[in-house]
Amino acid sequence: MEYKIPNHVAIIMDGNGRWAQQRGLKRTKGHEKGADALKKVSEYVYKKGVKVLSVFAFSTENWKRDKEEVNYLMNLFLTAFKKNFGAVKKEGVKVIFSGIPDKLSDKVLNAMHKMTEETKDNENGIFNICINYGGQDEIVNATKKIAKEVKKGTLEIDDINQDMYNKYLFNELPPIDLLIRTSGEMRISNFMLWQAAYAEFYFADTLWPDFDEKEFDKALEEYTKRDRRFGAIKKK
Ligand code: IPE
Ligand code: IPE
Ligand code: MG
């Protein structure tokens, strides 16, 4: 089957904890496996011709978890960045981060900064990692920036529109074409609300650590069958 290839794929990588619990392991083991899955899947996604990949790594709501799990995740980001940075650079993908820097440790922030700096000229694709990210936060944050400009007199109210709004978000990204959520949950959990306006949703029962190339192909197959009308009527 010839797949239609989405330009921007976004993934809510869910189910790490359940994956571990089902095996009698600590939830953190599931996160470790989840990081391995991300490495494999991301390589495949770009190989398929996708240009932009956004992933949900840590939400603004995830601070509600036990300190032990939060600390583990923060350390995992550091190890995963280190371990996979070589591969990312070799692929020529530009790494960017979306989210609010507050609450993240200097160690994590420095590692993020280093990755962004060293990949900023890469043109083979964009890897958008969402850490301490919330979709409503992103929109509020953009609104504040816009309001400040209006107050300063550098922006007219009538010049505020959908296209320019994009520039005030954490990163200026194309719309999401395909949004995948694993683990059987069918909700958006505050992920990329603006960019997902016309995304095709694909829900997989598979838990994130088990999501692989074959599973991504299934999502592509489903996406290929979707009829994207964007409000128009399809001419026969
Ligand atoms: C997703 O897996 C990873 C993060 C939220 C960081 P979960 O940790 O939410 O796994 P479940 O949903 O509890 O199984
Ligand atoms: C969404 O998953 C956040 C990430 C995948 C990082 P959650 O597991 O936190 O979402 P809820 O709590 O089920 O909505
Ligand atoms: Mg979850």
Side-chain angles (χ1 to χ4, degrees):
M1 181 182 194
E2 181 95 18
Y3 296 132
K4 258 199 250 165
I5 303 297
N7 179 54
H8 185 177
V9 171
I11 311 180
I12 302 176
M13 309 180 289
D14 199 11
N16 293 350
R18 275 164 284 169
W19 184 94
Q21 278 159 343
Q22 282 174 3
R23 287 162 179 77
L25 303 167
K26 283 174 88 173
R27 291 178 56 84
T28 48
K29 192 71 191 166
H31 295 312
E32 184 192 323
K33 288 285 172 194
D36 295 343
L38 176 58
K39 175 158 196 291
K40 231 177 22 191
V41 172
S42 58
E43 279 170 13
Y44 189 65
V45 167
Y46 293 116
K47 205 171 100 192
K48 282 283 169 190
V50 171
K51 289 296 171 207
V52 185
L53 174 64
S54 293
V55 295
F56 208 0
F58 194 89
S59 76
T60 45
E61 289 75 26
N62 287 146
W63 297 104
K64 293 178 197 158
R65 297 185 181 199
D66 288 351
K67 216 174 152 196
E68 189 197 334
E69 184 168 344
V70 170
N71 286 343
Y72 182 89
L73 282 165
M74 294 298 151
N75 281 320
L76 179 64
F77 296 150
L78 286 174
T79 1
F81 292 166
K82 272 204 199 106
K83 203 163 111 189
N84 304 324
F85 195 31
V88 169
K89 274 207 284 221
K90 212 169 79 201
E91 286 210 40
V93 171
K94 187 198 285 201
V95 181
I96 57 176
F97 292 90
S98 295
I100 301 261
D102 306 2
K103 286 202 191 175
L104 296 174
S105 72
D106 286 344
K107 252 192 186 164
V108 172
L109 288 171
N110 289 340
M112 285 161 60
H113 183 70
K114 186 167 179 260
M115 284 184 92
T116 321
E117 262 307 300
E118 290 186 23
T119 60
K120 70 175 189 302
D121 297 323
N122 288 353
E123 285 176 352
N124 289 351
I126 296 175
F127 188 24
N128 173 39
I129 308 174
C130 299
I131 296 184
N132 196 20
Y133 174 87
Q136 291 185 336
D137 239 13
E138 179 170 36
I139 295 169
V140 169
N141 190 58
T143 309
K144 280 188 185 164
K145 286 194 241 169
I146 291 171
K148 277 184 192 153
E149 286 211 23
V150 170
K151 197 173 173 192
K152 257 200 321 201
T154 49
L155 185 70
E156 294 292 327
I157 288 185
D158 286 341
D159 290 333
I160 300 174
N161 58 47
Q162 290 177 24
D163 292 333
M164 61 75 80
Y165 220 97
N166 217 10
K167 294 193 197 351
Y168 291 85
L169 298 174
F170 291 133
N171 289 288
E172 194 177 351
L173 290 165
I176 296 170
D177 300 295
L178 172 63
L179 192 147
I180 298 172
R181 183 171 188 148
T182 57
S183 88
E185 307 297 351
M186 296 190 191
R187 55 177 170 262
I188 196 160
S189 300
N190 201 13
F191 186 50
M192 300 189 85
L193 302 176
W194 181 277
Q195 300 85 345
Y198 247 109
E200 294 297 327
F201 284 56
Y202 177 81
F203 298 104
D205 284 333
T206 313
L207 303 173
W208 175 250
D210 289 330
F211 198 87
D212 58 10
E213 294 92 334
K214 262 203 191 118
E215 293 281 335
F216 186 69
D217 276 346
K218 277 196 236 165
L220 280 183
E221 189 176 333
E222 171 74 28
Y223 175 79
T224 303
K225 289 189 210 148
R226 300 274 176 94
D227 183 12
R228 302 189 79 193
R229 290 188 286 272
F230 298 99
I233 292 161
K234 205 178 169 200
K235 296 193 182 70
K236 290 247 166 72

